[in-house]
Amino acid sequence: MTDATAPSAAAQRGPYQNGIRRRQEIVESASRVFASYGFTSGSLRRIADEVGVTPAALTRHFGNKEGLLSAVLAKWDRDAQLRNTPGIRGLDYFIGLRDTLAYNQANRGLIELFLTLSAESTNADHPARDFIQGRYRHVVATGIQHLREARDAGETVGLDDEAISTEVRSVFATMDGLQLQWLLNPGIDLIGSFSHALAGYLERWTGRPYVLPPLAAGTD
Amino acid sequence: MTDATAPSAAAQRGPYQNGIRRRQEIVESASRVFASYGFTSGSLRRIADEVGVTPAALTRHFGNKEGLLSAVLAKWDRDAQLRNTPGIRGLDYFIGLRDTLAYNQANRGLIELFLTLSAESTNADHPARDFIQGRYRHVVATGIQHLREARDAGETVGLDDEAISTEVRSVFATMDGLQLQWLLNPGIDLIGSFSHALAGYLERWTGRPYVLPPLAAGTD
DNA sequence: GTCTATAAGAAGATAGAC
DNA sequence: GTCTATCTTCTTATAGAC
């Protein structure tokens, strides 16, 4: 396929334009396939068929299958960084987790990819194990930092460092577990259930009833 | 399925003794392999190698790979029934979840199997999907029943049916999420973290501080 | 850059010997 | 009951044409 469709203005006639777009297509397709079938069972052929090329084109672009997985994880990390809003701190960080959940619900593949790779990473020699472990460490560390900040600002009652660590882990556990339930049964109210549970955590931390502001619409 | 009846006293010299024992060995090995690699990626060859037979022997016993999975799930269900202690009701049921967690921690393969199959069952046509969905439905229904019983006995404050459903789902979500964290990082205090979170739920339900009795030793 | 063709191997499953 | 041998299909990866 020569693909000599010289596009008009925007597309420069530079030599690597199509290759870059093709790479993006492949990474997006690979994300879907790995999310659905896992890394081991998700085949290069299926990805290639989705994109409309042959498996040889994939190994050409990414060296081998693990190289493609690395590209998928790198993109995941990059996208997560972009969604990160640095202005939110302290207890507001946890309230903002509902927006994360809403985003995940609208992008089901993200949850599937995390869960599938986590399950596979149960094996010590899985290529994504370090990434998954590191990502969890980072998320928990961030949560701990924000809850400590809230405590130091006097917004909480009776939380020592150990309790903070446990509470943060429990919040993310509840979040992950509800996402798992939603994957298996999309009929459940994911946001509502988490909001309910989150209010419970906040009430315990602050020692007073907590009213959650409604979810901002259009979080897309 | 033939499902030969259990041999009465000592090993009768009946003709099927070795076959039955061999079946058990295969199912146990398959549970381990499916837990580690998933159903799709866990191969008959690996299971056969573990047991010390050829893949042909496996298909001979169970028809095909799905038949072997069915046997694994059936055994899982049977074992779960045996651990079920029918005397525990109401709020005590939730306190008893810590014992379940302790058992799971001592039998890591159980958690791996559930998580791996859940992740795979994300695909609508996975052979274990109905089983996993049904199992979750059953667990949630049981929890709802016990929490309602506690409410009707006047042990809780201000819980309508919808809140009960949400609370029960959140408890199991926290449990599953902590188990996932423990699989990825066995260094965390699984029982302690869950006990802490569980106390929070119980305090919210009963409206008063809740002191959890220590975990019974030797839950094996 | 993507293709066809192909290598080298592992998968599930079957047939028939013992 | 379990074996060996074999079938078909699918896997990742490479070589070379265009």
Side-chain angles (χ1 to χ4, degrees):
Chain A
M1 200 193 326
T2 48
D3 191 14
T5 56
S8 53
Q12 301 173 344
R13 66 171 189 274
Y16 306 115
Q17 283 302 107
N18 281 335
I20 292 173
R21 192 184 7 243
R22 191 62 105 184
R23 271 184 74 99
Q24 291 174 347
E25 284 181 67
I26 293 172
V27 169
E28 280 164 22
S29 172
S31 297
R32 283 192 297 272
V33 172
F34 289 158
S36 289
Y37 300 94
F39 171 69
T40 312
S41 298
S43 70
L44 294 182
R45 178 167 303 275
R46 191 177 288 267
I47 299 166
D49 285 350
E50 240 188 51
V51 179
V53 298
T54 62
L58 273 58
T59 59
R60 198 71 175 172
H61 274 293
F62 299 95
N64 56 25
K65 201 185 180 187
E66 278 197 29
L68 180 52
L69 176 62
S70 295
V72 166
L73 297 178
K75 173 175 159 53
W76 184 17
D77 225 20
R78 210 176 321 122
D79 291 351
Q81 290 291 343
L82 287 178
R83 284 201 306 280
N84 189 20
T85 45
I88 300 181
R89 311 199 66 81
L91 293 184
D92 287 340
Y93 167 79
F94 294 95
I95 296 175
L97 288 180
R98 293 185 307 158
D99 296 313
T100 302
L101 215 53
Y103 182 88
N104 289 354
Q105 191 171 24
N107 299 270
R108 178 182 169 112
L110 283 181
I111 314 179
E112 288 188 52
L113 186 61
F114 178 76
L115 178 67
T116 304
L117 291 182
S118 295
E120 281 191 329
S121 297
T122 282
N123 258 329
D125 55 347
H126 192 278
R129 185 180 170 93
D130 285 349
F131 179 88
I132 295 287
Q133 283 184 332
R135 181 146 188 84
Y136 226 114
R137 237 193 320 269
H138 173 73
V139 167
V140 169
T142 303
I144 288 176
Q145 181 189 327
H146 283 297
L147 189 46
R148 280 188 183 162
E149 216 171 286
R151 176 197 57 187
D152 296 343
E155 301 181 64
T156 70
V157 291
L159 279 178
D160 60 19
D161 277 2
E162 200 186 324
I164 281 182
S165 177
T166 300
E167 292 291 323
V168 167
R169 282 197 175 279
S170 296
V171 169
F172 287 120
T174 309
M175 202 167 149
D176 291 337
L178 286 174
Q179 286 181 122
L180 168 59
Q181 289 182 33
W182 177 76
L183 280 181
L184 290 171
N185 173 14
I188 75 166
D189 179 10
L190 178 58
I191 310 288
S193 296
F194 181 68
S195 294
H196 197 85
L198 183 63
Y201 284 105
L202 288 168
E203 285 172 18
R204 190 139 65 117
W205 298 344
T206 62
R208 62 169 194 278
Y210 223 88
V211 179
L212 287 179
L215 249 190
T219 45
D220 75 306
Chain B
M1 203 184 299
T2 47
D3 191 16
T5 49
S8 51
Q12 302 173 340
R13 64 170 191 275
Y16 305 116
Q17 283 303 106
N18 281 335
I20 291 173
R21 191 179 13 240
R22 192 60 108 183
R23 271 183 75 100
Q24 291 175 346
E25 284 182 66
I26 293 172
V27 169
E28 281 164 21
S29 173
S31 297
R32 282 192 299 272
V33 171
F34 289 158
S36 290
Y37 300 94
F39 171 68
T40 312
S41 298
S43 69
L44 294 182
R45 189 166 308 270
R46 189 178 288 269
I47 298 166
D49 286 350
E50 240 189 51
V51 179
V53 297
T54 61
L58 271 59
T59 58
R60 201 69 175 169
H61 272 294
F62 299 95
N64 57 22
K65 200 184 180 189
E66 279 197 29
L68 179 52
L69 176 62
S70 295
V72 167
L73 297 178
K75 174 175 159 50
W76 184 17
D77 224 19
R78 211 176 322 122
D79 290 352
Q81 291 291 343
L82 287 180
R83 285 200 306 281
N84 189 20
T85 44
I88 300 180
R89 311 200 68 80
L91 293 184
D92 286 340
Y93 167 79
F94 295 96
I95 296 175
L97 288 180
R98 294 186 307 158
D99 296 313
T100 302
L101 215 52
Y103 182 88
N104 288 354
Q105 191 171 23
N107 299 271
R108 180 184 168 109
L110 283 181
I111 314 179
E112 287 189 52
L113 186 61
F114 177 76
L115 179 67
T116 304
L117 291 182
S118 295
E120 282 191 330
S121 297
T122 282
N123 258 328
D125 54 346
H126 192 280
R129 183 179 171 92
D130 284 349
F131 179 88
I132 294 288
Q133 283 183 334
R135 181 145 187 84
Y136 225 114
R137 236 193 320 268
H138 173 74
V139 167
V140 170
T142 303
I144 288 175
Q145 180 190 326
H146 284 297
L147 189 46
R148 280 189 184 162
E149 214 170 288
R151 176 197 57 188
D152 295 344
E155 302 181 62
T156 69
V157 291
L159 281 177
D160 59 20
D161 277 1
E162 200 187 324
I164 281 181
S165 177
T166 300
E167 293 290 324
V168 167
R169 283 197 175 278
S170 295
V171 168
F172 288 120
T174 309
M175 201 168 150
D176 291 338
L178 286 175
Q179 286 181 121
L180 168 60
Q181 289 182 33
W182 177 76
L183 279 181
L184 291 172
N185 174 14
I188 74 167
D189 179 10
L190 178 58
I191 310 290
S193 296
F194 181 67
S195 294
H196 197 85
L198 183 63
Y201 283 107
L202 288 168
E203 285 171 16
R204 190 139 65 116
W205 297 344
T206 62
R208 63 168 193 278
Y210 222 89
V211 179
L212 288 180
L215 249 192
T219 46
D220 79 303

